[in-house]
Every structure is written in structure tokens, then in C-alpha cells.
Amino acid sequence: MAVNEFVEEGLAAGEITVLISLDVKGAFDAAWWPSILNGLKAYNCPRKLYNLSNSDFSQRTAVLSSNNISIKRKVTKGYPQESCCGPGYWNILYNSLLNIHFTKSSKAVEFVDDLILAIRNESMRAAENISNIEMSKITTWSRNNKINFNEDKSRVMIISRRKRKENKEIKVYLNNKPLQQVSTMKYLGIVIDDKFKFSRHISYTAERSSKLIHNLPKSAKLTWGLNHKALQTIYKGRFYLSYSTVRRYGQRL
């Protein structure tokens, strides 16, 4: 919804919006402990909790054993994603990225390890320049916090409804490599298209629902397969959610 509000404001003003989706290599496995501890200090974490976290990060090793060979390696980063403290530690680490001094025409939106950087401007070339300036700030942050972004999986997209003829090709760089420009981008399960109309998301949802509904009879036979309650749970979970999503975004068509 934060991305939606930012883009809609730009469209209403006749601006173009650059969306940059950044993929983190390793995500939770890449969480560097010194950055987390610095974040705890910045939030004035109580000393006992800070010392507990520091102790939790100390003297950790990873051991790989095979036959009669055992290899031990010191671990300095990473935390289990499904652990109790893992998401909290990651938020503390990643929040310093969101606090970077971006320009007024830029907005960073993060959900766990999914990061979107959005830039609005009336001029395509100005938006491109601002995008690369903001990306240089993120690159510096990633270098300081030992977080690597994957340039091969990160994407950039232009959102515009302007009817005038203009060159909509854009060069945005990550790690000195140009990001692939796309016409659709999937973020938190929602397919965003370059017109911000969500018609492609509805088509995507309908196609997935169609495949599932054709596969359900294969799993429900008289003498074997899933019972009625299990099938009902799958049906409601898939189709009720799909219907509510289509109803919400279909109003934009």
C-alpha cells in the first residue's frame, strides 16, 4: 500500500515513476552481526539485552562432517530466518538502510528482505540520474554492512501513463552493472505492470486459480485422496484470497 500510494500520487501529477526491486544475496544468512550490534546501540538497547545478543553472536562455528573428515569454520554473520530473534535482528540491521537520506522524490519500502526503491520525476532523464544517485547510496550502505545485492535478479521498471512519445529506456546501475528493465514486476505476491493497471496481476491470478481447480479433482477420489475438509481448506485459501485481490485491484481497470 505504501508503494501504491507513492505511485498513484505521481500518476495524478503526470510524473513517471521508476521502480527498482533489489534482491539480497542470502537474506537472513547475510546478516552481519557487528551491524546488528551497532543498530542495538543506536536504539539505546538495555545493556543486559545488548550483552545477551553479543554473547549469542560470540564464538559461533559451523561444522561439516563427512566420513572421518570434519571441517570447522568460524561464523561471523547469519541468523535462522524462522528463529524467534531472527526477524527482529534483521529489521534492526535493515532499518539503517531505510534511514538513508534519500531525496524528497524518492521512497524506499521494505518488507523483510524485499526492498523497493521508487523515484518520481517529470523528466525521464532526471529520474534516471536520481535513481543512480540513490543506488550509489545503497551500494555504499551495502558495502559498510556486508550485505550484497544480486544485480542479476534485481530489476528496474518505468511506470507511466503519459501518451506523448518519449524514450522510456533507462540505465540504472548496481555494482557497476546495468539492471534489467522489465514491463512487469512481482512484489509481495502482486504483479505490478508499467501502466499500474493490475490487469496482468488479475490474469496471473486467474491462470493460477484455473490450474488449481483443474488439479483438485485429481486429488479427490471416492476411495483415496484428500478428504472433503482438506479440499475445502485449499479451495477457500486459494479462491477467496484470489477473489478479494481481484476485487481490490480490478477497480483500477
Side-chain angles (χ1 to χ4, degrees), residues 2 14 28 53-54 80 95 139 158 176 187 220 229 232 234 242 246 249:
F28 277 58
S53 299
N54 191 24
N95 194 59
T139 300
I158 297 293
N176 296 320
Y187 183 62
K229 187 175 181 180
Q232 188 180 44
I234 295 173
S242 299
V246 169
Y249 294 102

Side-chain angles (χ1 to χ4, degrees), residues 159-204:
I159 296 178
S160 174
R161 293 180 187 166
R162 300 197 300 208
K163 296 181 179 180
R164 59 177 141 170
K165 292 184 179 181
E166 57 185 336
N167 184 6
K168 294 184 179 179
E169 292 185 4
I170 188 171
K171 293 291 184 182
V172 178
Y173 294 86
L174 173 63
N175 301 328
N176 296 320
K177 295 182 180 180
L179 297 181
Q180 180 183 348
Q181 185 173 349
V182 295
S183 59
T184 61
M185 182 182 293
K186 191 175 181 182
Y187 183 62
L188 301 181
I190 304 297
V191 178
I192 303 173
D193 59 81
D194 55 3
K195 298 294 183 183
F196 215 59
K197 292 286 189 178
F198 295 97
S199 56
R200 298 191 187 183
H201 175 73
I202 293 173
S203 299
Y204 166 77

